[in-house]
Amino acid sequence: MKGFAMIKIGEVGWIEAKKPEAGPLDAIVKPLALSPCTSDVHTVWAGAIGERFNMVLGHEAVGEVVEVGPLVKDFKPGDRVIVPAITPDWGALESQAGFPQHSGGMLSGWKFSNFKDGVFGEFFHVNEADANLGHLPDGIAIEDAVMLPDMVPTGFHGVELAQVTFGDTVVVVGIGPVGLMSVAGCALHGAGRIMAVGSRPNCVEVAKKYGATDIINYKKGDIVEQVMDLTKGKGVDKVVIAGGDVDTFDQAIRMLKPGGRIGNVNYLGEGDYVKIPRVDWGVGMGHKTISAGLTPGGRYKMEKLATLLQTKRLDTSLLLTHRFKGFEHIEEALLLMKDKPADLIKPVVTL
Amino acid sequence: MKGFAMIKIGEVGWIEAKKPEAGPLDAIVKPLALSPCTSDVHTVWAGAIGERFNMVLGHEAVGEVVEVGPLVKDFKPGDRVIVPAITPDWGALESQAGFPQHSGGMLSGWKFSNFKDGVFGEFFHVNEADANLGHLPDGIAIEDAVMLPDMVPTGFHGVELAQVTFGDTVVVVGIGPVGLMSVAGCALHGAGRIMAVGSRPNCVEVAKKYGATDIINYKKGDIVEQVMDLTKGKGVDKVVIAGGDVDTFDQAIRMLKPGGRIGNVNYLGEGDYVKIPRVDWGVGMGHKTISAGLTPGGRYKMEKLATLLQTKRLDTSLLLTHRFKGFEHIEEALLLMKDKPADLIKPVVTL
Amino acid sequence: MKGFAMIKIGEVGWIEAKKPEAGPLDAIVKPLALSPCTSDVHTVWAGAIGERFNMVLGHEAVGEVVEVGPLVKDFKPGDRVIVPAITPDWGALESQAGFPQHSGGMLSGWKFSNFKDGVFGEFFHVNEADANLGHLPDGIAIEDAVMLPDMVPTGFHGVELAQVTFGDTVVVVGIGPVGLMSVAGCALHGAGRIMAVGSRPNCVEVAKKYGATDIINYKKGDIVEQVMDLTKGKGVDKVVIAGGDVDTFDQAIRMLKPGGRIGNVNYLGEGDYVKIPRVDWGVGMGHKTISAGLTPGGRYKMEKLATLLQTKRLDTSLLLTHRFKGFEHIEEALLLMKDKPADLIKPVVTL
Amino acid sequence: MKGFAMIKIGEVGWIEAKKPEAGPLDAIVKPLALSPCTSDVHTVWAGAIGERFNMVLGHEAVGEVVEVGPLVKDFKPGDRVIVPAITPDWGALESQAGFPQHSGGMLSGWKFSNFKDGVFGEFFHVNEADANLGHLPDGIAIEDAVMLPDMVPTGFHGVELAQVTFGDTVVVVGIGPVGLMSVAGCALHGAGRIMAVGSRPNCVEVAKKYGATDIINYKKGDIVEQVMDLTKGKGVDKVVIAGGDVDTFDQAIRMLKPGGRIGNVNYLGEGDYVKIPRVDWGVGMGHKTISAGLTPGGRYKMEKLATLLQTKRLDTSLLLTHRFKGFEHIEEALLLMKDKPADLIKPVVTL
């Protein structure tokens, strides 16, 4: 079968890949809509997960089931499904402990285009299909739905980790597609004032639509100072980090009230250390909690979050700046993510 | 001073009351906007808290500070303030344990028109002013703001107790003003499908505006059956109870999934027992958690929730069906709450 | 193979049962130590789960693996294992939501001697072996270890549900083997004063060894009054219910402080309703939270709790009043649980 | 009155201080037992809180009430009291948000020998006496009780922040008096294996008595390697940090499982940054949560923790290596804390 793959670090291309086979619990799915992710760019051009050869890329898909293993009960060929980016081993000790994304080892719940071929193929393999596919409800466009595998739950997980609730004043750092979902998630989880840190005009416009009440442009000065000015020196209740780098935590700690929380969902690609400023962290006693994690994945999250699209509480279409029709356009879509033209938020390819 | 009071159980009227005095930590406030509550009706006509003579009624007010005690630091005469219905003793053991509403004994954080005169006077007394007044921010109409002392935090507390989060399917029982705030709170705290139980047309209309996706009319059949039909027999994740009676819990347990939660904020005025159906409760092992409590009150909640009005995420004006101008109309407003004409949700009186 | 079975409601006996077979994820285990449970008694003589014919009883076992399915990775024939009473389907939506004990439906994580033959056979079947067996560490006697499948995690789950923590004053209702593990669990989770409700002298003695500071004998008067006397009218922080019946909740609510929690792990076999006293429950607003649930089961819990036996923090041998050697004694052991002689806490059979 | 004071950074001595006066809510207390703390050493010789002149030192005391303000209800002259090191303003917004230790600003709940004279005087002042004094129960020696103001709640707070529970494998870094209370707290909150990091023989001996199952001596090699060896490469569930420095967090992250938690209660006196190793932190996605904070203080904690001494679950006397009789010995006791002779854990002075 055909697949769009990482040939090696720094190189992508179309390959003839082996069609996947379903074990007893698994499913084979063909994609209906696909979206490339910044993680794909990191994988190929930053070597983020190390060298890989001829590995089919992609982990954001909705599709149609074409085959299921004999132990699969809840899905059958022809079913339209949401496929989470993270597909845990649900019986693993880490899953039983509440962290399925780390089943079998830290981050090992992430399998697509990491431990096996991803979703940018004519077919792809899903482990533990009953637990890792979600039924796609009627009434949701597949382009909108393809934001459910990663953008929505990752952006929202930052909100969960920061424990945003009624009336919180929150800073969201980063307004790429994940950060925008964090902004939307804050608004949908009770935040009052939402200060979004970013500068690209198209993203700023969408951030406001999703509920940002203030935009903080790092090009206009130190973001900590701007936040402290806006809050009359008090700082904020929560910070969701969905962009930036290892130094962003220094800023986040400094803008946070004692008792505040950081929720990070940003992949940190470089730097030896995340640095926490000792004095602003209350010399180790300020109750500024730092939580950071990969979205959990799995069927339960997919089906629950889909209800927000069904009930129109969340409109993911605002993210979709570039729409392609035809599998062959996945290459173009991925290169857009790499090149990040000014008008890009997120491309989507329907098949 | 003049006050509108409970003369005794079953009787209300205007009285000449003693003007309150401020202790070292206290404030004296004159009302700018007032709203009567169903609790006032229970207090007078159901004798809910026992006999009281010549007690000024009312616990929902925004006002202007006219006097503060010598230890008050953050407020001064002339400040416009939100006055929470619940004004705890913040140093009490119960407050330190996280339950200020029960400071000094169960429900004893509720002081207005319970242990002392309420807010329907020319002046009223607020204990621990720095901790129990909230600054009223600019840009919020006082009519809208007077929903902050009780309707908003009580409705939202049901959402907090039920731990509503992203994608939950929730039933809200009752769509009076508190129930409507629970509906709004569910939508603002991530719920997907929100099924509101009620029948009055004006409330139904507002419930939909606040985010209800389904309306369940108990006049059209058993509400448990209706919920099970709507969920294809699966039941719901959470139930917020903001109406009904002691028998509502039986229904709530039966419509709840295992692992679900009930959050009750409804005052239960009659009946010896709340009855939990043994078998549907999983013979004591179904993890259907029952939580129930009075809203916490205090300044922190008032100021945080006010940001939701400032940022226009919550529009309390939809509740305000009857608006009066002039202190003397508080009587008419209260009688409306007693008589509940078809077009009533909540009356408000500005001064 | 031979098995000790429920022939029908009210009747037990030895049967020739079909030797179980392992599916791809499963294991076949032969018992090394077994213990009958009050639940077995309820199943047979109270018909608690309905009629069953020729169903092998038992759900408390440690054993030796004799066969594993081809997808099992972490266990092999010859491994000595702890077998949890509850063996969930870990990929189920309920498990993903944090409630594996309800995988596939309320209480459906309980499979042994419920949906399939139990452990009182020459061999028994374990679903999802990698997720539902625990390695038995060296240095733990098998008699002591056979308290890990049910007695320890069930007793401790009451402590978890009640959220017992440092310095809490707790009442534990019931000092049978589960209640005694609740007492031990309270002491191991920070409780200060632990008031154990019971009357049997041998259980009272063991309760004190596990950390009970006060014994409340219901034969000596109303237990609520006794608790209120002991606490000078203040009541307690938490109540763990591991005995009694549907009326126990009425007492528990009345002895609880506002803000308190009930954690129930007692099977409620009779009565239509659990009755919550309206006024003592704060007319629905007292924050006396009622949680109740089946222990979660699974490998993670087994292996974690086993460390408490390894490190000698918990000595389960105090429960073991009757020890038998030989599979044939399982009948005698079960009848002891039914007849409850005065000197019984828990019988164990080693093979 | 006489007081033992910080004259300036680097210098201590006896001074004639002004006798404190009680405001309406306050109490004046005379000490019955005192203990110096490493924080006093930091304050004086490291200038940890900046320059102070002629400030009476000390924040660990039990005493006798000699005077109360007119609004104090629950205490009267002659009462024997436990005085928490942290005495919050309970009405502050931070307290209402659940963080009384930060009332009025980060760490500002700490008042003794910080914003006002400490407890090493003939008399000392306690703000909000009803909320910040605890009744000393009968049957607790005052020497043992003087560990309640700081050592016990600080050590235990590390356990709370790390959320230690049944069966956890925990590393406790540091076995000075706070670290030893963390070890005891882990054992009292369900931990299975407790690995204590330290080297001083007397502390090692006491750590074992409090429940440490393994001792890790940093002089015998890298502590991360030792932990990984002891856990067969798996790492631990939780790390409580009660010693070390800013670099300890690097080690803690590396020995922690994904999904693990760090609870820090160690004062970090030096270094610009706490450094979190990016890769071992799961490139920002490993769910290794970092929480760190000052103990909450207040009456509720004091009275609850006192029950653990009453019920003999916690024996603080093991900490007390040096006992003095007479106020004048406070100087000698403080210098012991500064010089840390090999046989010292904690000195106590009774009056």
Side-chain angles (χ1 to χ4, degrees):
Chain A
M1 65 165 209
K2 238 174 109 179
F4 189 71
M6 171 176 179
I7 306 298
K8 62 179 185 185
I9 289 181
E11 187 182 337
V12 293
W14 291 95
I15 63 167
E16 189 60 32
K18 196 166 172 298
K19 190 185 162 185
E21 288 169 23
L25 297 162
D26 308 333
I28 305 301
V29 177
K30 70 171 183 185
L32 295 175
L34 293 168
S35 186
C37 178
T38 308
S39 303
D40 293 303
V41 175
H42 292 148
T43 296
V44 176
W45 287 282
I49 57 172
E51 185 58 281
R52 296 288 192 283
F53 298 106
N54 300 315
M55 177 184 73
V56 176
L57 287 163
H59 54 261
E60 300 184 31
V62 285
E64 183 185 313
V65 175
V66 295
E67 185 191 334
V68 296
L71 297 180
V72 174
K73 296 176 201 165
D74 297 348
F75 294 88
K76 59 181 190 311
D79 284 354
R80 290 156 64 95
V81 291
I82 312 162
V83 186
I86 310 302
T87 53
D89 304 311
W90 286 96
L93 290 174
E94 295 86 355
S95 301
Q96 294 189 29
F99 296 94
Q101 54 278 79
H102 306 300
S103 61
M106 188 158 60
L107 308 181
S108 295
W110 174 31
K111 299 181 190 306
F112 288 126
S113 67
N114 184 2
F115 300 138
K116 67 176 182 184
D117 279 337
V119 301
F120 294 169
E122 288 177 81
F123 303 98
F124 58 86
H125 168 273
V126 178
N127 59 302
E128 299 190 26
D130 279 336
N132 284 323
L133 292 175
H135 286 290
L136 178 65
D138 293 336
I140 304 179
I142 55 171
E143 298 95 312
D144 295 353
V146 81
M147 297 298 99
L148 287 168
D150 190 352
M151 297 300 99
V152 178
T154 298
F156 280 26
H157 195 51
V159 178
E160 294 168 335
L161 290 171
Q163 298 182 0
V164 173
T165 192
F166 291 130
D168 276 347
T169 295
V170 188
V171 167
V172 177
V173 180
I175 52 173
V178 167
L180 287 168
M181 286 299 94
S182 291
V183 169
C186 285
L188 279 171
H189 224 260
R193 203 164 180 185
I194 301 172
M195 302 174 182
V197 178
S199 65
R200 296 171 70 205
N202 61 336
C203 294
V204 164
E205 189 187 348
V206 174
K208 288 178 180 169
K209 287 182 182 162
Y210 279 134
T213 53
D214 302 83
I215 301 294
I216 294 176
N217 187 338
Y218 55 85
K219 296 179 180 171
K220 294 191 180 161
D222 180 68
I223 66 170
V224 180
E225 275 176 36
Q226 292 184 62
V227 168
M228 295 316 273
D229 282 352
L230 285 167
T231 59
K232 298 180 184 164
K234 291 179 185 169
V236 298
D237 298 303
K238 311 284 168 66
V239 179
V240 178
I241 300 182
D245 56 28
V246 290
D247 293 328
T248 304
F249 291 79
D250 181 3
Q251 298 170 312
I253 292 291
R254 287 189 284 131
M255 59 178 71
L256 206 55
K257 289 182 189 170
R261 293 183 68 92
I262 292 174
N264 178 69
V265 288
N266 190 35
Y267 161 75
L268 301 171
E270 293 187 316
D272 289 338
Y273 291 101
V274 172
K275 285 183 287 178
I276 308 303
R278 180 183 64 89
V279 171
D280 291 283
W281 202 43
V283 293
M285 299 191 289
H287 287 100
K288 299 184 177 182
T289 301
I290 305 163
S291 56
L294 182 67
T295 190
R299 175 180 175 181
Y300 176 74
K301 274 280 172 185
M302 292 302 104
E303 295 187 348
K304 283 196 82 170
L305 295 177
T307 68
L308 295 172
L309 271 64
Q310 277 186 290
T311 56
K312 314 285 182 206
R313 295 203 205 283
L314 177 65
D315 177 4
T316 53
S317 74
L318 301 179
L319 299 178
L320 305 176
T321 52
H322 294 69
R323 293 161 188 257
F324 299 92
K325 180 77 192 164
F327 186 36
E328 66 279 12
H329 292 289
I330 196 67
E331 178 169 10
E332 194 176 345
L334 178 65
L335 293 176
L336 273 174
M337 286 305 283
K338 175 168 180 269
D339 297 336
K340 297 211 169 165
D343 62 343
L344 177 79
I345 300 180
K346 188 82 179 175
V348 62
V349 179
T350 51
L351 280 78
Chain B
M1 66 164 208
K2 237 174 109 178
F4 189 71
M6 172 175 178
I7 306 298
K8 61 179 184 186
I9 288 181
E11 187 182 337
V12 294
W14 290 96
I15 64 168
E16 189 60 33
K18 195 166 173 298
K19 190 186 162 185
E21 288 170 22
L25 296 162
D26 308 334
I28 305 303
V29 176
K30 70 171 183 186
L32 296 175
L34 294 168
S35 187
C37 178
T38 308
S39 303
D40 293 303
V41 175
H42 293 147
T43 296
V44 176
W45 287 281
I49 57 172
E51 185 59 279
R52 296 288 192 282
F53 299 106
N54 300 315
M55 178 183 72
V56 177
L57 288 163
H59 54 261
E60 300 184 31
V62 289
E64 184 185 312
V65 175
V66 295
E67 185 191 332
V68 296
L71 297 180
V72 175
K73 295 176 202 165
D74 297 349
F75 295 87
K76 58 180 190 312
D79 285 354
R80 290 156 65 94
V81 291
I82 311 161
V83 185
I86 310 301
T87 54
D89 304 311
W90 286 96
L93 289 174
E94 295 85 356
S95 301
Q96 294 188 30
F99 296 94
Q101 54 278 78
H102 305 299
S103 61
M106 189 159 59
L107 308 181
S108 296
W110 173 32
K111 299 179 190 305
F112 288 127
S113 66
N114 184 3
F115 300 138
K116 67 176 182 184
D117 279 339
V119 301
F120 295 168
E122 289 178 82
F123 303 97
F124 59 86
H125 169 271
V126 178
N127 59 303
E128 299 190 26
D130 279 336
N132 283 324
L133 291 175
H135 287 290
L136 178 65
D138 293 335
I140 304 179
I142 56 172
E143 299 95 312
D144 296 353
V146 81
M147 297 298 99
L148 288 168
D150 191 352
M151 297 299 100
V152 178
T154 298
F156 281 25
H157 196 50
V159 179
E160 293 168 336
L161 291 171
Q163 299 182 1
V164 173
T165 192
F166 291 130
D168 276 347
T169 295
V170 188
V171 168
V172 177
V173 180
I175 52 174
V178 167
L180 287 168
M181 286 299 95
S182 291
V183 170
C186 285
L188 279 171
H189 224 261
R193 204 164 178 184
I194 302 172
M195 303 174 182
V197 178
S199 64
R200 298 171 69 206
N202 61 337
C203 294
V204 164
E205 189 187 349
V206 174
K208 288 178 181 170
K209 285 183 183 162
Y210 279 135
T213 53
D214 302 84
I215 302 294
I216 294 176
N217 188 337
Y218 54 85
K219 297 179 180 171
K220 296 192 178 160
D222 180 67
I223 66 171
V224 180
E225 275 176 35
Q226 291 185 61
V227 168
M228 295 317 271
D229 282 352
L230 284 168
T231 59
K232 298 179 183 164
K234 291 180 185 169
V236 298
D237 299 302
K238 312 283 168 66
V239 179
V240 178
I241 301 182
D245 56 28
V246 291
D247 293 327
T248 304
F249 291 79
D250 180 3
Q251 298 170 312
I253 291 291
R254 287 189 283 127
M255 60 178 68
L256 206 55
K257 290 182 190 171
R261 293 183 69 92
I262 292 174
N264 178 70
V265 288
N266 190 35
Y267 162 74
L268 302 171
E270 294 187 314
D272 289 338
Y273 291 102
V274 172
K275 286 182 287 179
I276 308 303
R278 180 184 64 89
V279 171
D280 291 283
W281 202 43
V283 294
M285 299 190 289
H287 286 100
K288 298 184 178 184
T289 301
I290 305 163
S291 55
L294 182 66
T295 189
R299 174 179 176 182
Y300 176 74
K301 274 278 172 188
M302 291 303 105
E303 295 188 347
K304 283 196 83 169
L305 295 177
T307 67
L308 295 172
L309 271 65
Q310 277 185 291
T311 55
K312 315 285 183 206
R313 296 202 205 283
L314 177 66
D315 177 5
T316 54
S317 74
L318 302 179
L319 299 178
L320 306 177
T321 52
H322 294 68
R323 293 161 186 256
F324 299 91
K325 180 77 192 164
F327 186 37
E328 65 279 12
H329 292 288
I330 196 67
E331 179 169 10
E332 193 175 348
L334 178 65
L335 293 176
L336 272 173
M337 285 306 283
K338 175 169 180 271
D339 298 336
K340 296 213 169 166
D343 62 343
L344 178 78
I345 300 178
K346 188 84 181 175
V348 62
V349 179
T350 51
L351 281 78
Chain C
M1 64 165 209
K2 238 173 109 177
F4 189 71
M6 170 175 180
I7 307 297
K8 62 180 183 184
I9 289 180
E11 187 182 337
V12 293
W14 292 94
I15 63 167
E16 188 60 32
K18 193 165 175 297
K19 189 186 162 185
E21 288 170 21
L25 296 162
D26 308 335
I28 304 303
V29 176
K30 70 171 183 185
L32 295 176
L34 294 168
S35 186
C37 178
T38 307
S39 303
D40 293 303
V41 175
H42 293 148
T43 296
V44 176
W45 287 281
I49 57 173
E51 185 58 281
R52 296 288 193 282
F53 298 107
N54 299 315
M55 178 183 73
V56 176
L57 288 163
H59 53 262
E60 301 184 31
V62 288
E64 183 186 311
V65 175
V66 295
E67 184 191 334
V68 295
L71 297 180
V72 175
K73 294 176 201 164
D74 298 349
F75 295 88
K76 58 182 190 311
D79 285 354
R80 289 156 65 95
V81 290
I82 311 161
V83 186
I86 310 302
T87 53
D89 304 310
W90 285 96
L93 290 174
E94 294 86 355
S95 301
Q96 294 189 29
F99 296 95
Q101 54 277 80
H102 306 299
S103 60
M106 189 159 59
L107 309 181
S108 296
W110 173 31
K111 299 180 190 304
F112 287 125
S113 66
N114 184 1
F115 301 138
K116 67 176 182 185
D117 278 340
V119 301
F120 293 168
E122 289 177 82
F123 302 97
F124 58 86
H125 168 273
V126 178
N127 59 302
E128 297 190 27
D130 279 336
N132 284 323
L133 291 175
H135 287 290
L136 178 65
D138 292 336
I140 304 180
I142 56 171
E143 299 95 312
D144 296 352
V146 81
M147 297 298 99
L148 288 168
D150 191 352
M151 297 299 100
V152 178
T154 299
F156 281 25
H157 196 51
V159 178
E160 293 169 335
L161 290 171
Q163 299 182 1
V164 173
T165 192
F166 291 130
D168 276 348
T169 295
V170 189
V171 167
V172 177
V173 181
I175 51 172
V178 167
L180 287 169
M181 286 299 95
S182 291
V183 170
C186 285
L188 280 171
H189 224 261
R193 204 163 179 185
I194 301 172
M195 302 174 181
V197 179
S199 65
R200 297 171 70 206
N202 62 336
C203 294
V204 164
E205 188 187 349
V206 174
K208 288 179 181 170
K209 287 183 183 161
Y210 280 134
T213 53
D214 302 84
I215 302 293
I216 295 176
N217 187 338
Y218 54 86
K219 297 179 181 172
K220 296 191 180 162
D222 181 66
I223 66 170
V224 180
E225 275 176 35
Q226 292 185 62
V227 169
M228 296 317 271
D229 282 351
L230 284 168
T231 59
K232 298 179 183 166
K234 291 179 184 169
V236 298
D237 298 302
K238 312 282 167 67
V239 178
V240 178
I241 301 181
D245 56 27
V246 291
D247 293 328
T248 305
F249 291 79
D250 181 3
Q251 298 171 311
I253 291 292
R254 288 189 283 129
M255 60 179 68
L256 206 55
K257 289 182 190 171
R261 294 182 69 91
I262 292 174
N264 178 69
V265 288
N266 191 34
Y267 161 74
L268 302 171
E270 294 186 315
D272 288 339
Y273 290 101
V274 172
K275 286 183 286 180
I276 308 302
R278 182 184 63 89
V279 171
D280 291 284
W281 202 42
V283 294
M285 299 190 290
H287 287 100
K288 298 184 179 184
T289 301
I290 305 162
S291 55
L294 182 66
T295 190
R299 173 180 176 181
Y300 176 74
K301 274 279 173 187
M302 291 302 105
E303 295 188 347
K304 283 196 82 170
L305 294 177
T307 68
L308 295 172
L309 272 65
Q310 277 186 291
T311 56
K312 316 285 184 205
R313 295 204 205 283
L314 178 66
D315 178 4
T316 53
S317 74
L318 302 179
L319 299 178
L320 305 177
T321 52
H322 294 68
R323 293 161 187 256
F324 299 91
K325 179 77 192 164
F327 186 37
E328 65 278 13
H329 292 288
I330 195 67
E331 179 168 10
E332 193 175 348
L334 178 65
L335 294 176
L336 273 175
M337 286 306 283
K338 176 169 180 270
D339 298 336
K340 295 211 171 166
D343 62 343
L344 178 77
I345 300 178
K346 188 82 180 175
V348 61
V349 178
T350 51
L351 281 77
Chain D
M1 65 165 207
K2 235 173 109 179
F4 188 71
M6 172 176 178
I7 307 298
K8 62 179 183 186
I9 289 180
E11 187 182 337
V12 294
W14 291 95
I15 63 168
E16 189 59 34
K18 194 166 175 296
K19 190 187 161 185
E21 288 170 22
L25 297 163
D26 308 334
I28 305 301
V29 177
K30 71 171 182 186
L32 296 176
L34 293 168
S35 186
C37 178
T38 307
S39 303
D40 293 303
V41 175
H42 293 147
T43 296
V44 176
W45 287 281
I49 58 172
E51 185 58 281
R52 296 287 193 281
F53 298 107
N54 299 315
M55 177 183 73
V56 176
L57 287 163
H59 54 261
E60 300 184 32
V62 286
E64 183 185 312
V65 175
V66 295
E67 184 192 332
V68 297
L71 298 180
V72 174
K73 296 176 201 164
D74 297 348
F75 295 88
K76 59 181 189 310
D79 284 355
R80 290 156 65 97
V81 291
I82 312 162
V83 186
I86 309 301
T87 54
D89 304 311
W90 285 96
L93 290 174
E94 294 85 355
S95 301
Q96 293 188 30
F99 296 95
Q101 54 278 79
H102 305 299
S103 61
M106 189 160 59
L107 310 180
S108 296
W110 174 32
K111 299 180 190 307
F112 288 126
S113 66
N114 183 3
F115 300 138
K116 68 176 182 184
D117 278 338
V119 300
F120 294 168
E122 289 177 82
F123 302 98
F124 57 87
H125 168 273
V126 177
N127 58 302
E128 299 190 26
D130 279 337
N132 284 323
L133 291 175
H135 287 291
L136 178 64
D138 293 336
I140 304 180
I142 56 171
E143 300 94 311
D144 295 353
V146 81
M147 296 299 99
L148 287 168
D150 191 351
M151 296 300 99
V152 178
T154 298
F156 280 25
H157 195 50
V159 178
E160 294 168 335
L161 290 172
Q163 299 182 1
V164 173
T165 193
F166 290 130
D168 275 346
T169 295
V170 189
V171 168
V172 177
V173 180
I175 52 174
V178 168
L180 287 168
M181 286 299 94
S182 291
V183 170
C186 285
L188 280 171
H189 223 261
R193 203 165 179 183
I194 302 172
M195 302 173 182
V197 178
S199 64
R200 296 171 70 206
N202 61 336
C203 294
V204 164
E205 190 187 348
V206 174
K208 287 179 181 170
K209 287 182 183 163
Y210 279 134
T213 53
D214 302 84
I215 302 294
I216 294 176
N217 187 337
Y218 55 84
K219 296 179 180 172
K220 294 190 179 163
D222 181 67
I223 66 171
V224 180
E225 275 176 35
Q226 292 184 63
V227 169
M228 296 317 273
D229 282 350
L230 285 168
T231 59
K232 297 180 184 164
K234 291 180 184 168
V236 298
D237 298 303
K238 311 285 168 65
V239 178
V240 178
I241 300 181
D245 57 28
V246 291
D247 294 329
T248 304
F249 291 78
D250 180 3
Q251 298 171 312
I253 291 292
R254 287 189 283 129
M255 59 178 70
L256 206 55
K257 289 181 190 171
R261 294 182 68 92
I262 292 173
N264 178 70
V265 289
N266 190 35
Y267 161 74
L268 301 171
E270 293 187 316
D272 289 337
Y273 291 100
V274 173
K275 287 182 286 180
I276 308 303
R278 181 183 63 89
V279 171
D280 290 283
W281 203 43
V283 294
M285 299 189 290
H287 287 99
K288 297 183 178 184
T289 301
I290 305 163
S291 56
L294 183 66
T295 190
R299 173 179 176 182
Y300 176 74
K301 275 279 172 185
M302 292 302 104
E303 295 187 348
K304 283 195 82 170
L305 295 177
T307 67
L308 295 172
L309 272 65
Q310 278 185 290
T311 55
K312 315 285 184 207
R313 295 201 206 284
L314 178 66
D315 177 4
T316 53
S317 75
L318 302 179
L319 298 178
L320 305 177
T321 52
H322 293 69
R323 293 161 186 258
F324 299 91
K325 180 78 192 163
F327 186 37
E328 66 278 13
H329 292 289
I330 195 67
E331 178 169 9
E332 193 176 347
L334 178 65
L335 293 176
L336 273 174
M337 285 306 283
K338 176 169 180 269
D339 297 337
K340 298 212 168 164
D343 62 342
L344 177 78
I345 300 179
K346 189 83 180 177
V348 62
V349 179
T350 51
L351 280 79

